[in-house]
Amino acid sequence: MKFIRHLMIATLTTATLISTAYAAPTLQFAVGMYQPTKDKNDATYTPLANYLSKKLGMPVKLRTVESWEGLAKSLANGETDVALMGPWGYVLANNEAKAQAVATIEYEGKPIYYGIMITHPGSGINSPADLKGKTFAFADKGSTSGYLIPFYYFQKQGINPDTYFSKVIYTEHPAIEAQVTKGAIDAGADYNRNRDTMIADGLIKASDSKIIWKSDPLPNDAVAVSEKLYKDKAFVAKLQSALEDLKTELKSQPELLPPRYTGFVKSDNSYYKPIRDAGLATGRLQPK
């Protein structure tokens, strides 16, 4: 009996060790701050995290990171394995931490979007040439459409925002739209997707703002993986397949992505060259 009892203990111990050794690791999935609050952002992207967990066969832990620069740093220091992030945030992460894009999100079937500048109809502003001496809002300096691309445009026009405008503020995209439509600031930088969404959700009225500038097409937000994880080609292929399959899954599970987002397409680092070029030209990106 003693022999059998010892054998059973040994067997259970071995089984526990095997189970522990082969337990699926937790994938750290970080998402940028796309919604007005962290709680809403977490709630919005939890279905996507759960979907990836099922498709990849491993636990996925979702975390909202409030700035693109913070998200880039989290990929560098190992806090994040996979991230859904803005184009400029991705370029920073690639430059600083060698993170790699593996997919691009689609909005209404397109993997591109546009940076815009907006004002309120009564401002008397009809183009960027009318902005001198006005108040202007950028988004945070990690934003593509809210900072990098409009800053690059101003630079090409020989405009220094710090001296050209009477006041410059930095805030979140939704706040820019809200303050411009109320007339609290004269103009600001945003992107078409955010404006369209806020109008559709009833947060602002289309008639309370107008677009005075539109950028060239920009690549949509990237799904990026850490340098370490990118070396696992089998995992990358599985992740890309899961993201591509989302288009079909959305038909029966529309909550997997926010409204008007229609899936993902495969992409790579080269797709984000326009953003990288703007970063280098403005000195905001230092080549390594």
Side-chain angles (χ1 to χ4, degrees), residues 234-255:
F235 173 84
V236 169
K238 192 172 183 179
L239 175 61
Q240 289 176 320
S241 178
L243 292 169
E244 286 187 306
D245 288 348
L246 199 74
K247 288 183 181 181
T248 301
E249 299 291 338
L250 279 168
K251 295 175 182 178
S252 58
Q253 301 178 72
E255 74 281 0

Side-chain angles (χ1 to χ4, degrees), residues 6-171:
H6 285 312
L7 180 60
M8 290 176 65
I9 292 172
T11 301
L12 288 170
T13 301
T14 302
T16 300
L17 289 172
I18 291 173
S19 176
T20 302
Y22 287 92
T26 297
L27 190 74
Q28 302 296 326
F29 178 42
V31 178
M33 189 73 163
Y34 293 100
Q35 303 297 325
T37 67
K38 183 179 180 300
D39 287 345
K40 186 173 182 180
N41 208 72
D42 287 343
T44 298
Y45 291 97
T46 291
L48 176 59
N50 292 340
Y51 166 82
L52 290 175
S53 177
K54 180 179 178 181
K55 296 288 285 189
L56 298 174
M58 63 174 62
V60 174
K61 183 178 181 181
L62 176 69
R63 183 166 61 96
T64 290
V65 179
E66 296 185 7
S67 76
W68 300 127
E69 290 173 309
L71 196 45
K73 290 177 181 177
S74 74
L75 278 162
N77 62 27
E79 290 179 346
T80 296
D81 299 310
V82 178
L84 176 60
M85 58 199 313
W88 176 229
Y90 164 67
V91 169
L92 288 172
N94 173 257
N95 192 66
E96 300 298 321
K98 297 182 180 179
Q100 295 293 323
V102 298
T104 296
I105 200 166
E106 289 188 319
Y107 184 86
E108 296 183 341
K110 299 177 181 178
I112 59 168
Y113 75 112
Y114 298 91
I116 58 174
M117 294 183 200
I118 57 165
T119 187
H120 50 94
S123 68
I125 299 168
N126 297 304
S127 74
D130 300 325
L131 289 171
K132 187 172 184 179
K134 305 296 185 179
T135 54
F136 191 87
F138 289 107
D140 80 66
K141 292 185 178 181
S143 170
T144 308
S145 58
Y147 179 73
L148 177 68
I149 296 302
F151 185 90
Y152 184 35
Y153 169 80
F154 288 135
Q155 178 181 281
K156 289 187 291 184
Q157 304 305 310
I159 293 172
N160 179 350
D162 292 333
T163 57
Y164 193 76
F165 302 121
S166 61
K167 182 181 180 181
V168 177
I169 66 171
Y170 297 88
T171 187

Side-chain angles (χ1 to χ4, degrees), residues 256-275:
L256 291 175
L257 288 178
R260 293 173 288 283
Y261 285 92
T262 51
F264 294 88
V265 291
K266 287 183 184 179
S267 67
D268 57 31
N269 188 50
S270 65
Y271 190 58
Y272 293 85
K273 184 178 185 298
I275 311 302

